[in-house]
Amino acid sequence: RQRQMCIRDSGGTVESFAKIPDTDGSPSPVGMVITSDGTIIVSSYETHKLFSITSDGSVSVYAGSGNSGIAEGYGELADFISPAGLAIKEDTIYVANQNGNVINKIYPDKYVQVFAGDPESGYTDATGLAARFNRPTYLAMDTNGNLFVTDQMNNRIRKITPAGVVTTFLGDGTAENKNGTGLSARIGYPFGIESDSDNNLYVASWGSVDVLDGGTIRKITPDSVMSTYYDIGEAYALFGGMSFDSKGNLYAPEVSAYHNIYKISPDSSIIKVAGTDAAGTTERGGGAFNTSFANPYSVLVDPNNDRIVYVSDYGSGEIFKLILNDTPVISAIDDVTIKEDESTTISLSATDSDDDLIFDDVDLCPNTPERYNGYFDTDGCPDRTVSYTHLRAHETREDRGWRGGGGKK
């Protein structure tokens, strides 16, 4: 006989997977992609290099001499300026040089080519090197091989075809978030971007200087119709490089206000999966909710395992491996009796009706997902909304986003 079984999800764990070398400056990891053989490629913003990380955590230079400049060449003979967002298709890697204003294409043999743009900042729709960007930051690749760029200081989303033709996909250049279609929509200081299997784009942005709207993620259809996908309710929040799992859940790192990692379900419900709600570099490893991050600029879901999420932590220079629990932990089985000389099979199961990682037997709101609105708990119910009245008026736009400026080699 079995009278009661209590099953709880114990969360996940965080491991330090790799450390970017700091011999040439701050390690500053930002973008991440994974190749067909499981090697992770990471951009290092302040060392002006890309690093490769093998499955055992071994780190080596993939491309870049460390000089701040734009130069084509093989591997370490090439130069980058502040490489940030990355994208990949069939082991060909694309790099956004945020302060270099060009998009690089790196072939599988490690030859680095300027694919689009020029070190001189500007705004021009054209082909290849004749195009102009102003702080291109993150990249997303659709299933047709089109590359999408968050052109931060131009306040636009740019599209680059496989042939290198650059056009404006969305935005009129105004630093403001306003839903709409194509050039009638507005996207202020766009930041993180990702594409789903249906070629919808998901874009984070600051908004305007006067009215920050950074806690939102916008959804843009292939027809360039933009709508609000999620709003965290905190104007100073900003999401970085995002990544989908195989079930359509979007993992998003918040880089400015909370420094947490979130999971956003297809219905736009959100839960925190890692972080302590504050930046830090001392609480490292162990439980996911006991680990602090410091500007986690990108996440990458392992394409072969939805329960493994890599985190590039800018402030510490580390790549972390977030391991989400696949199987709930049984905390108690109350009063199970098996007679002598008999055997029995006990089948265990857990139900999570609202898919918020809090199982129904301990979820106070089993049919309504936990939603994070500035305050996090584990009761399974939507959180209360917290209003923040403080203003960080002393910070500049660059203080709240990327460090460094310029755009001309």
Side-chain angles (χ1 to χ4, degrees):
R1 64 192 163 88
Q2 178 179 326
R3 288 177 15 199
Q4 183 180 10
M5 182 178 298
C6 181
I7 300 177
R8 294 177 183 268
D9 184 354
S10 65
T13 58
V14 177
E15 300 176 355
S16 180
F17 180 62
K19 173 77 172 179
I20 303 301
D22 57 3
T23 55
D24 299 314
S26 172
S28 54
V30 180
M32 293 185 293
V33 292
I34 190 166
T35 63
S36 58
D37 66 359
T39 300
I40 295 175
I41 308 299
V42 182
S43 63
S44 177
Y45 188 80
E46 294 185 32
T47 68
H48 311 291
K49 294 180 179 180
L50 270 60
F51 291 89
S52 64
I53 307 174
T54 60
S55 59
D56 64 357
S58 299
V59 180
S60 60
V61 176
Y62 185 78
S65 68
N67 295 324
S68 177
I70 298 298
E72 298 181 334
Y74 283 97
E76 294 181 58
L77 297 177
D79 293 337
F80 303 100
I81 302 179
S82 309
L86 304 179
I88 190 169
K89 185 175 180 63
E90 297 175 349
D91 286 348
T92 295
I93 299 169
Y94 297 84
V95 185
N97 290 259
Q98 197 197 46
N99 286 332
N101 299 307
V102 305
I103 309 301
N104 288 120
K105 182 176 183 178
I106 307 179
Y107 294 90
D109 65 358
K110 297 186 182 180
Y111 184 76
V112 180
Q113 178 187 62
V114 175
F115 183 54
D118 181 90
E120 181 73 42
S121 64
Y123 169 66
T124 304
D125 284 339
T127 299
L129 279 62
R132 295 291 183 270
F133 301 92
N134 194 348
R135 291 174 68 84
T137 304
Y138 280 97
L139 304 174
M141 179 75 70
D142 73 9
T143 60
N144 299 313
N146 296 303
L147 195 63
F148 293 87
V149 184
T150 52
D151 195 1
Q152 190 178 60
M153 299 307 291
N154 279 325
N155 302 298
R156 293 175 168 96
I157 306 301
R158 311 290 289 281
K159 176 182 177 179
I160 311 177
T161 69
V165 179
V166 180
T167 57
T168 299
F169 185 68
L170 183 135
D172 69 356
T174 303
E176 176 187 16
N177 288 337
K178 177 185 176 183
N179 292 333
T181 301
L183 303 186
S184 68
R186 292 176 176 176
I187 189 84
Y189 304 106
F191 205 63
I193 187 170
E194 181 59 305
S195 175
D196 67 16
S197 59
D198 294 323
N199 292 332
N200 298 298
L201 298 175
Y202 299 79
V203 184
S205 63
W206 272 116
S208 70
V209 174
D210 297 324
V211 181
L212 288 180
D213 189 19
T216 59
I217 295 176
R218 309 282 170 163
K219 180 178 180 179
I220 307 173
T221 70
D223 296 326
S224 74
V225 178
M226 186 172 79
S227 60
T228 302
Y229 183 66
Y230 182 76
D231 186 351
I232 202 172
E234 165 55 73
Y236 281 100
L238 183 65
F239 293 102
M242 299 168 279
S243 183
F244 277 99
D245 68 11
S246 64
K247 298 177 182 177
N249 298 304
L250 181 64
Y251 286 82
E254 197 290 309
V255 307
S256 180
Y258 303 114
H259 305 267
N260 294 329
I261 311 301
Y262 297 94
K263 171 190 169 185
I264 305 174
S265 301
D267 65 356
S268 299
S269 62
I270 190 170
I271 61 171
K272 181 178 78 170
V273 295
T276 62
D277 298 339
T281 58
T282 56
E283 298 297 327
R284 294 299 183 178
F289 299 122
N290 297 320
T291 298
S292 297
F293 301 101
N295 305 114
Y297 272 118
S298 293
V299 293
L300 174 66
V301 178
D302 189 318
N304 298 313
N305 188 341
D306 281 349
R307 291 292 177 174
I308 296 178
V309 181
Y310 297 96
V311 181
S312 66
D313 197 47
Y314 189 100
S316 69
E318 293 186 73
I319 305 301
F320 289 98
K321 180 189 283 188
L322 169 60
I323 305 172
L324 303 170
N325 282 338
D326 188 25
T327 305
V329 174
I330 302 171
S331 60
I333 300 178
D334 184 23
D335 201 7
V336 175
T337 301
I338 302 173
K339 294 182 180 179
E340 186 177 359
D341 298 326
E342 290 185 357
S343 62
T344 189
T345 299
I346 301 175
S347 298
L348 306 178
S349 63
T351 301
D352 182 12
S353 299
D354 53 15
D355 194 30
D356 62 0
L357 296 182
I358 301 172
F359 295 107
D360 287 2
D361 65 327
V362 293
D363 192 336
L364 300 184
C365 302
N367 297 310
T368 306
E370 168 83 64
R371 293 177 186 270
Y372 179 71
N373 293 319
Y375 174 76
F376 183 81
D377 55 43
T378 56
D379 61 7
C381 297
D383 297 329
R384 63 184 176 87
T385 299
V386 174
S387 176
Y388 290 85
T389 58
H390 68 280
L391 295 176
R392 289 178 255 178
H394 65 282
E395 292 184 338
T396 66
R397 173 69 52 185
E398 283 69 27
D399 288 331
R400 294 193 294 265
W402 293 102
R403 285 181 284 176
K408 183 176 180 181
K409 184 170 70 173

